[in-house]
Amino acid sequence: MIAADETFDGAFPFRPRFSTAPGFRMHYLDEGRGEPIILLHGEPTWGYLYRNFIPPLAESFRVIVPDHMGFGKSETPQDREYTLETHVGNLTSLIDDLRLDGITLVGQDWGGPMLAAYTVRHPERVRRVFLMNSLCGYGGMVAPRDAPKPPKLHESEWFRWVTASHRDGSYFETMSNMGGHVRQLIGRLGVESFLSETDFRAYAAPFESPAECKGAIEFPLDVALNRIGPYVRAGASGVPALRSKPAMLAEGMRDRAIPPALAIADFQALFPSGPVVKLRQAGHFCQEDAAPELVALIELFLQVT
């Protein structure tokens, strides 16, 4: 866990806040005033990923950026399960603690399944959803039977490695040393821009021991071992409410973790009239590759919906 006052040479100068409502010490940022926007990170990142989004968005909105359990400045309790269901439960507790309504949920990587799983269960709290290099996971339930079949998530370069390394036993060895491998992992998933040594230090900082890597270890296994399926299907009755929300997708087309064709197909099945913006030179970590463009898209999306 990163020290609360760590700013990484001033690159992350925001006031740390903590909630114990989820049952552990969960770190979040809360900047600006106005309509609430929650920015959700994925694997193996934390709120640092949104450092270039927070100041401009906070000029007009209340920007909340949580670190999921086991990531960033949040604790990594060893007696908790690290599944999509658990992470969504933690997010729910934080939202309840902050008494938020009329929320715009923004999610990348695991942030997409999180915002979808939250929205199908609490649609009355959500105003809109904005996805970046992610998917909700419900598109296959509503896509026409004759629709072209998109690539499967397991077919991506990243999940092929997860599956193969889990099978031969090397997965845990690598992922238990996430701090030493984070540079290679971010490159494997897809980033096209230059990251500084400070940036890589920030991304490695939460993972100083095998115990602190627990969240990063377990997230990919939710997909590789299909642990995610029953929880996703349990929210199916809320899919019509999810589909009623204004939605937008910005997709970095050089993603090697989630096939862009799959993310776009999932989004368009759920939101046929929702805009899709293809970022040709951005990878999976589009927040690093195209921050100004994404901030402008989010601001425009909130203005017109």
Side-chain angles (χ1 to χ4, degrees):
M1 182 174 66
I2 303 168
D5 60 355
E6 175 64 71
T7 68
F8 296 98
D9 302 327
F12 197 71
F14 312 104
R15 175 187 171 186
R17 302 173 190 266
F18 294 89
S19 171
T20 57
F24 66 99
R25 199 163 183 252
M26 186 176 191
H27 173 255
Y28 68 98
L29 303 177
D30 193 341
E31 300 283 327
R33 294 183 179 181
E35 189 176 339
I37 305 174
I38 301 180
L39 307 178
L40 299 172
H41 72 84
E43 165 99 0
T45 58
W46 57 285
Y48 186 85
L49 185 66
Y50 288 107
R51 65 196 180 280
N52 295 318
F53 285 52
I54 297 166
L57 289 177
E59 291 179 6
S60 303
F61 307 101
R62 181 181 178 185
V63 182
I64 297 160
V65 188
D67 289 340
H68 306 315
M69 181 174 67
F71 295 86
K73 296 183 179 182
S74 289
E75 289 183 330
T76 309
Q78 297 300 298
D79 60 347
R80 297 282 296 271
E81 289 189 343
Y82 286 71
T83 63
L84 175 64
E85 181 174 2
T86 306
H87 287 296
V88 175
N90 296 336
L91 175 64
T92 302
S93 295
L94 177 64
I95 289 173
D96 290 346
D97 190 28
L98 299 181
R99 300 179 181 180
L100 301 176
D101 283 297
I103 305 163
T104 296
L105 290 171
V106 178
Q108 178 262 351
D109 190 77
W110 279 99
M114 281 188 192
L115 70 81
Y118 179 83
T119 302
V120 299
R121 291 165 174 83
H122 305 279
E124 74 284 355
R125 310 290 285 273
V126 179
R127 184 169 179 181
R128 8 173 144 68
V129 297
F130 187 101
L131 290 101
M132 303 175 292
N133 287 82
S134 188
L135 64 164
C136 292
Y138 290 104
M141 295 183 182
V142 298
R145 291 186 177 181
D146 59 351
K149 298 297 182 184
K152 296 180 179 179
L153 190 55
H154 287 78
E155 295 173 353
S156 75
E157 178 182 331
W158 164 238
F159 279 106
R160 287 200 306 270
W161 176 82
V162 171
T163 301
S165 63
H166 184 263
R167 188 182 302 119
D168 67 25
S170 62
Y171 176 82
F172 292 99
E173 180 180 353
T174 299
M175 298 295 283
S176 293
N177 183 25
M178 175 63 73
H181 291 288
V182 74
R183 183 189 299 262
Q184 293 88 340
L185 179 57
I186 287 176
R188 181 191 295 271
L189 296 175
V191 66
E192 300 299 317
S193 59
F194 172 80
L195 298 185
S196 69
E197 289 303 314
T198 297
D199 297 334
F200 283 120
R201 181 165 63 88
Y203 285 129
F207 310 117
E208 293 185 342
S209 69
E212 290 178 306
C213 295
K214 187 171 184 178
I217 291 169
E218 294 297 327
F219 244 153
L221 296 181
D222 246 18
V223 170
L225 303 181
N226 197 31
R227 301 187 310 207
I228 195 174
Y231 180 64
V232 171
R233 290 191 294 272
S237 63
V239 171
L242 171 65
R243 300 186 75 191
S244 72
K245 306 298 179 184
M248 183 172 182
L249 170 67
E251 182 67 16
M253 298 303 289
R254 297 188 177 184
D255 194 326
R256 294 188 291 276
I258 301 172
L262 172 60
I264 293 170
D266 182 81
F267 180 85
Q268 292 182 327
L270 288 167
F271 310 106
S273 61
V276 175
V277 175
K278 297 178 181 179
L279 305 170
R280 301 291 180 184
Q281 303 303 315
H284 182 68
F285 298 102
C286 54
Q287 299 98 319
E288 294 288 3
D289 294 332
E293 295 89 339
L294 289 166
V295 168
L297 288 171
I298 293 170
E299 291 176 332
L300 179 61
F301 177 59
L302 269 68
Q303 290 171 9
V304 302
T305 56

